[in-house]
Amino acid sequence: MKARLTFAAIAVAALATSAAGLVLAQAPAPDAPAAAASAALPVPPPPKITGTAWVLMDYASGNVLAGENYDTPLEPASITKVMTSYVIAAEMKAGKVKETDQVMMSENAWRSGGAGTDGSYSGFEVNKTAPLLEMEKGMVVQSGNDAAIALAEHVAGSTDAFASLMNQYAARIGMKNSHFVNPHGLPAEGHVSTARDLALLGRALARDYPVAYSYNKIKEFTVGPITQPNRNLLLWRDPSVDGIKTGHTSGAGYCLMASAKRGDQRLISVVMGSTSEAQRASDSQALLNWGFRFFETHELYAAAKQVAKQKVWKGKADEVQLGVAAPMLVTVPRGRYEQLKPMMDVPATLVAPIAKGQKIGTVKVMLDGKAIAQQPLVALNAIEEGGFFKRLWDEFWMWWESI
């Protein structure tokens, strides 16, 4: 269920009358039953997870809800292919490749990742082509190492060049403790990531490229005579789960990045170094269930709706409407919604011209004295510069209020 916070008139008045520096305006507590605060109990500990590292992340904010060793670099195994999917989607959006491109299953890709190896493979024939979209589904659903290599060669010319792209996009996403050496995740020196970084990657794929993300919920895929199932067991157990990727090597253990959406709330879990396929699935399910049971997501502000007004000097209009460019969502422990304290930092003095969409300040949401979410405040309308006498008159009053 969605709920929305609004700034009261006192916040608007503070914005309009402040003379210098930044305005810190606080909105009243959101509407909620008065008894809810006293009834809210502390969130119980998360379930015990078998594995080397794990994390549960809120999709809306990217905040970690629970985890252990989630910043420790480890082998990511085939979860690496989520990074490969992200690069392909980004390069496709940039117009560098198309889903209809014919991708060659080179001899290198076939020998390094095909049926003759110990890893998973897609089954595309060597020295023959297939549409990029089909090859990508073979990589995503069947976890084909051969398909990952072929795609990397098509997109960047070589796996080394593709790995460079992977690292560049990883840096943009904010994956601070990851380094990729190949597109498939087979063991290689220096090829590492962390539970938190991988959760951020899954969040970025779902947010930035939802079509590419959607391939991860396909339950089986056929190449020639071979039909293989998706190894993510949660796709059959929980209808709210729609991704993302499994992984396994002897060094990495059993890994699973899972994501589920229930109502307006999406959570992402990552379990690394588990002991079996069944264990990683049951632990991931327990994490997701715990998160949905004890946390809730609210929409605080809708996109392009007025949050506040701010006085503008030297403009054709005297006020600018402020809002957020994208819906502002926040996830909090259940029963604590009414304890949120929305605040905004905006310049005390604004001078025209102001462009529509121009960043004016920041809206923050505080809980227990910490900012748990923040977004830029932008101008919802343009303010053109006023005429000569309007500018002269406002210049006088700006000087007067400053003395």
Side-chain angles (χ1 to χ4, degrees), residues 350-368:
L350 288 178
V351 179
I354 295 174
K356 183 178 180 180
Q358 179 179 329
K359 181 181 176 181
I360 301 299
T362 304
V363 59
K364 299 179 181 180
V365 180
M366 312 294 291
L367 183 65
D368 296 333

Side-chain angles (χ1 to χ4, degrees), residues 209-275:
Y209 305 109
V211 173
Y213 175 83
S214 70
Y215 305 152
N216 293 276
K217 67 181 178 182
I218 299 173
K219 291 184 177 180
E220 63 178 28
F221 190 69
T222 300
V223 176
I226 303 173
T227 298
Q228 297 185 66
N230 194 313
R231 293 168 175 78
N232 183 357
L233 299 180
L234 297 188
L235 294 175
W236 283 266
R237 299 180 183 178
D238 185 343
S240 71
V241 173
D242 55 11
I244 305 177
K245 191 72 187 73
T246 62
H248 172 252
T249 65
S250 58
Y254 290 84
C255 307
L256 174 58
M257 178 201 295
S259 180
K261 185 177 182 182
R262 300 179 188 176
D264 293 325
Q265 185 176 9
R266 178 179 289 282
L267 299 177
I268 299 171
S269 66
V270 177
V271 173
M272 304 181 74
S274 191
T275 54

Side-chain angles (χ1 to χ4, degrees), residues 1-46:
M1 179 179 180
K2 291 186 178 180
R4 184 172 294 121
L5 303 179
T6 58
F7 278 94
I10 185 172
V12 178
L15 288 171
T17 58
S18 297
L22 286 175
V23 177
L24 186 63
Q26 181 173 338
D31 296 332
S38 59
L41 297 174
V43 175

Side-chain angles (χ1 to χ4, degrees), residues 47-92:
K48 186 175 181 180
I49 304 301
T50 301
T52 308
W54 59 273
V55 73
L56 181 67
M57 179 174 287
D58 167 38
Y59 169 82
S61 65
N63 290 338
V64 171
L65 303 181
E68 288 184 358
N69 302 321
Y70 50 79
D71 286 327
T72 301
L74 299 167
E75 290 184 41
S78 281
I79 297 181
T80 296
K81 297 182 177 92
V82 181
M83 188 74 245
T84 301
S85 291
Y86 190 94
V87 173
I88 293 169
E91 294 293 284
M92 190 178 299

Side-chain angles (χ1 to χ4, degrees), residues 76-373:
S78 281
I79 297 181
T80 296
K81 297 182 177 92
V82 181
M83 188 74 245
T84 301
S85 291
Y86 190 94
V87 173
I88 293 169
E91 294 293 284
M92 190 178 299
K93 183 178 180 180
K96 298 177 182 179
V97 293
K98 303 187 298 296
E99 65 179 29
T100 56
D101 285 358
Q102 292 297 309
V103 177
M104 173 66 71
M105 177 57 68
S106 68
E107 187 166 341
N108 174 61
W110 180 74
R111 290 188 181 279
S112 301
T117 64
D118 292 333
S120 52
Y121 65 96
S122 62
F124 290 99
E125 292 186 62
V126 63
N127 292 324
K128 292 190 177 181
T129 63
L132 184 148
L133 180 58
E134 296 300 297
M135 192 77 74
E136 183 172 4
K137 289 179 180 178
M139 178 189 71
V140 171
V141 182
Q142 301 172 322
S143 198
N145 296 323
D146 52 351
I149 297 169
L151 287 163
E153 291 175 341
H154 179 79
V155 171
S158 69
T159 55
D160 288 344
F162 189 84
S164 178
L165 286 178
M166 296 171 77
N167 290 317
Q168 291 178 54
Y169 281 111
R172 290 188 187 182
I173 293 168
M175 301 171 68
K176 298 180 179 179
N177 296 300
S178 297
H179 181 73
F180 296 99
V181 176
N182 61 55
H184 41 68
L186 291 174
E189 185 177 355
H191 188 92
V192 295
S193 190
T194 69
R196 189 211 295 261
D197 279 0
L198 293 175
L200 288 172
L201 170 60
R203 177 176 181 249
L205 183 64
R207 178 194 65 216
D208 299 341
Y209 305 109
V211 173
Y213 175 83
S214 70
Y215 305 152
N216 293 276
K217 67 181 178 182
I218 299 173
K219 291 184 177 180
E220 63 178 28
F221 190 69
T222 300
V223 176
I226 303 173
T227 298
Q228 297 185 66
N230 194 313
R231 293 168 175 78
N232 183 357
L233 299 180
L234 297 188
L235 294 175
W236 283 266
R237 299 180 183 178
D238 185 343
S240 71
V241 173
D242 55 11
I244 305 177
K245 191 72 187 73
T246 62
H248 172 252
T249 65
S250 58
Y254 290 84
C255 307
L256 174 58
M257 178 201 295
S259 180
K261 185 177 182 182
R262 300 179 188 176
D264 293 325
Q265 185 176 9
R266 178 179 289 282
L267 299 177
I268 299 171
S269 66
V270 177
V271 173
M272 304 181 74
S274 191
T275 54
S276 69
E277 187 175 4
Q279 189 66 52
R280 72 185 178 189
S282 61
D283 282 349
S284 298
Q285 183 75 77
L287 267 180
L288 292 170
N289 288 342
W290 176 83
F292 284 118
R293 170 61 183 84
F294 294 107
F295 293 84
E296 57 187 348
T297 298
H298 295 272
E299 182 183 277
L300 305 185
Y301 302 106
K305 298 295 184 181
Q306 180 179 311
V307 170
K309 294 180 180 179
Q310 167 71 318
K311 180 175 176 58
V312 177
W313 298 95
K314 302 183 181 182
K316 287 186 177 180
D318 292 328
E319 290 182 329
V320 63
Q321 299 176 9
L322 304 179
V324 290
M328 186 172 187
L329 304 175
V330 65
T331 299
V332 294
R334 292 189 181 276
R336 301 203 63 190
Y337 173 68
E338 75 287 348
Q339 298 173 26
L340 295 177
K341 296 181 179 179
M343 311 179 79
M344 59 183 180
D345 294 333
V346 296
T349 302
L350 288 178
V351 179
I354 295 174
K356 183 178 180 180
Q358 179 179 329
K359 181 181 176 181
I360 301 299
T362 304
V363 59
K364 299 179 181 180
V365 180
M366 312 294 291
L367 183 65
D368 296 333
K370 298 179 181 179
I372 61 170

